[in-house]
């Protein structure tokens, strides 16, 4: 494998999707199968829809078709769908929606609703695909049943908290979901332990794979940006410390 180009990786990191609402500007703007352009809107920190991010047609930003609560991340599903993944209980939920089929709704319908609910996604139209990956999976590769509508996606790298039995055990993991292959690889982050970091205040917010070196890089909120070793579990170096 070629050596990582750190300048290139830093540029890639700026475009990696992070969780709603803090990283909403990284969310993909896309055209649907019917050629309609969809955009995201963040509704600020105050009021009944505080911290909510909505999806709407570019020409109809005030007519939302999808609403995301905290920690959701969207991804494009070729050729015409949008996917959302988010933590839900002791699982990672992955859902797919057909943007052209989504019905509009009034923001008043969800005013205060997300704040009272553990739900992460709101839509007036059911998803076309919906499944969960359990967080209790052990390290290594596992088979999963992926709905065909989402199976065009090669890889998603999902950072998530991970049950640590002691302060020296990994408190975070990367779940690398290979949707085309129907597999998920669990990579506990050996370097992220309760003994070394303030778990909760510091957490891995986003991660991706460098297409040249195939190494995983990412951002640890409250600590900095990083590059992992080839095993995907050990810290190789900090790109930037905070």
């Amino acid at each position: 494998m070629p050596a990582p180009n750190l300048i290139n990786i830093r540029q890639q990191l700026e475009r990696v999707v992070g969780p709603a609402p803090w990283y909403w500007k990284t969310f993909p703007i896309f055209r649907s199968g019917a050629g309609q352009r969809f955009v995201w809107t963040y509704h600020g920190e105050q009021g009944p829809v505080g911290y909510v991010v909505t999806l709407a047609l570019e020409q109809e930003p005030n007519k939302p078709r999808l609403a995301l609560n905290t920690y959701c991340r969207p991804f494009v599903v070729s050729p015409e769908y949008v996917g959302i993944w988010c933590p839900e209980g002791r699982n990672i939920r992955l859902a797919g929606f057909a943007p052209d089929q989504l019905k509009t709704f009034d923001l008043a319908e969800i005013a205060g609703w997300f704040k009272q609910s553990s739900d992460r996604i709101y839509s007036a139209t059911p998803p076309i695909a919906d499944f969960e990956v359990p967080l209790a999976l052990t390290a290594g590769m596992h088979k999963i049943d992926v709905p065909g509508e989402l199976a065009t996606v090669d890889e998603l790298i999902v950072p998530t908290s991970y049950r640590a039995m002691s302060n020296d055990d990994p408190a975070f993991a990367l779940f690398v979901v290979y949707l085309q292959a129907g597999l998920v690889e669990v990579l506990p982050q050996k370097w992220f332990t309760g003994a070394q970091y303030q778990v909760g205040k510091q957490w891995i917010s986003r991660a991706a794979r460098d297409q040249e070196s195939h190494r995983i890089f990412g951002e640890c909120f409250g600590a900095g940006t990083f590059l992992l070793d080839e095993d995907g579990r050990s810290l190789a170096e900090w790109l930037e410390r905070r």
Side-chain angles (χ1 to χ4, degrees):
M1 295 292 180
N5 182 325
L6 299 185
I7 294 176
N8 188 21
I9 286 175
R10 289 187 180 96
Q11 293 173 344
Q12 290 180 65
L13 182 59
E14 293 178 3
R15 301 188 295 272
V16 175
V17 174
W22 307 282
Y23 294 83
W24 76 275
K25 290 184 178 180
T26 65
F27 289 4
I29 294 172
F30 61 92
R31 291 191 180 275
S32 67
Q36 301 187 99
R37 184 177 166 89
F38 283 80
V39 297
W40 301 94
T41 299
Y42 174 46
H43 295 273
E45 298 179 6
Q46 306 299 322
V49 289
Y51 296 103
V52 173
V53 179
T54 55
L55 179 70
L57 285 171
E58 184 176 39
Q59 67 270 25
E60 299 177 345
N62 296 320
K63 295 182 178 180
R65 295 167 184 249
L66 190 65
L68 304 183
N69 201 354
T70 52
Y71 300 108
C72 286
R73 297 164 175 85
F75 57 97
V76 175
V77 183
S78 179
E80 57 184 308
Y81 301 137
V82 60
I84 308 293
W85 74 259
C86 59
E88 198 152 291
R90 292 303 300 164
N91 299 289
I92 299 162
R93 180 187 180 191
L94 296 99
F97 296 87
D100 291 318
Q101 298 176 16
L102 291 175
K103 299 176 183 176
T104 61
F105 57 86
D106 194 306
L107 275 177
E109 291 182 33
I110 60 169
W113 181 75
F114 273 148
K115 293 182 180 180
Q116 305 297 325
S117 170
S118 60
D119 289 342
R120 301 286 175 191
I121 305 169
Y122 179 86
S123 170
T125 309
I128 54 157
D130 203 348
F131 76 107
E132 294 180 335
V133 176
L135 291 175
L137 291 177
T138 56
M141 197 74 75
H142 304 267
K143 289 184 178 181
I144 53 174
D145 293 323
V146 177
E149 294 85 352
L150 300 179
T152 60
V153 178
D154 180 23
E155 176 185 77
L156 282 178
I157 299 182
V158 176
T160 178
S161 57
Y162 198 63
R163 186 178 180 185
M165 303 305 291
S166 76
N167 262 357
D168 295 318
D169 291 328
F172 239 81
L174 299 180
F175 278 50
V176 185
V177 187
Y178 302 101
L179 291 102
Q180 282 184 349
L183 297 169
V184 59
E185 185 177 15
V186 180
L187 301 174
Q189 298 301 290
K190 299 177 181 178
W191 55 279
F192 193 93
T193 67
Q196 298 292 324
Y197 295 89
Q198 294 178 288
V199 179
K201 291 185 177 180
Q202 296 174 313
W203 48 287
I204 299 174
S205 56
R206 51 182 178 161
R209 190 182 302 276
D210 176 29
Q211 294 305 304
E212 293 182 2
S213 68
H214 295 283
R215 301 267 287 277
I216 295 174
F217 60 92
E219 180 175 7
C220 182
F221 183 84
T225 56
F226 60 83
L227 176 69
L228 299 181
D229 280 336
E230 292 182 2
D231 66 358
R233 304 185 187 196
S234 306
L235 180 67
E237 61 181 294
W238 288 101
L239 303 175
E240 179 186 353
R241 291 303 301 263
R242 293 175 189 158

